[in-house]
Amino acid sequence: MVSKPFLYLAIAIVSEVIGTSLLTASHGFARWGYAVASLAAYGCAFYFLSIPLKTIPTGVVYAIWSGIGIVLVSAIGALFFKQILDTPALIGIGLIMVGVLVINLFSGSMPH
């Protein structure tokens, strides 16, 4: 079972990914519906991000949040916005994924 701090972190990540995707769809805030929805999603993301910060070190929370967010936003960009990444970008994202795995599997800073 997933502990509550990680459940809240997952909600924060999904909210941030939705917010970033909506921000892209807003075309620089030119499409107000998407822009407002993006701000709401970011508000939700930061609220839920604040909860795990009570029990998990900030650097660890941020590494997981940003690392998984980068992977998901890149996938959504490719699927929905036709933003194709080149090989160096994909290698970099792969390294980010490895870093998140190392933190989750081996770090003594993480509650297991």
Side-chain angles (χ1 to χ4, degrees):
M1 177 165 212
V2 177
S3 69
K4 282 195 177 191
F6 287 102
L7 175 63
Y8 293 132
L9 181 55
I11 293 168
I13 292 167
V14 169
S15 298
E16 186 270 333
V17 169
I18 291 169
T20 300
S21 300
L22 290 168
L23 187 62
T24 300
S26 79
H27 294 282
F29 274 64
R31 299 163 84 189
W32 281 97
Y34 289 107
V36 170
S38 174
L39 293 174
Y42 279 128
C44 182
F46 283 111
Y47 171 75
F48 283 103
L49 182 66
S50 72
I51 297 170
L53 291 173
K54 295 176 186 175
T55 57
I56 304 171
T58 303
V60 172
V61 169
Y62 193 74
I64 295 168
W65 181 62
S66 60
I68 294 173
I70 288 168
V71 171
L72 293 176
V73 166
S74 297
I76 288 170
L79 290 171
F80 295 103
F81 300 109
K82 308 298 183 226
Q83 298 172 346
I84 306 304
L85 300 174
D86 61 7
T87 301
L90 293 172
I91 291 169
I93 289 170
L95 291 170
I96 290 167
M97 291 171 58
V98 169
V100 170
L101 285 172
V102 167
I103 290 169
N104 279 298
L105 297 174
F106 302 111
S107 176
S109 300
M110 292 286 295
H112 293 282

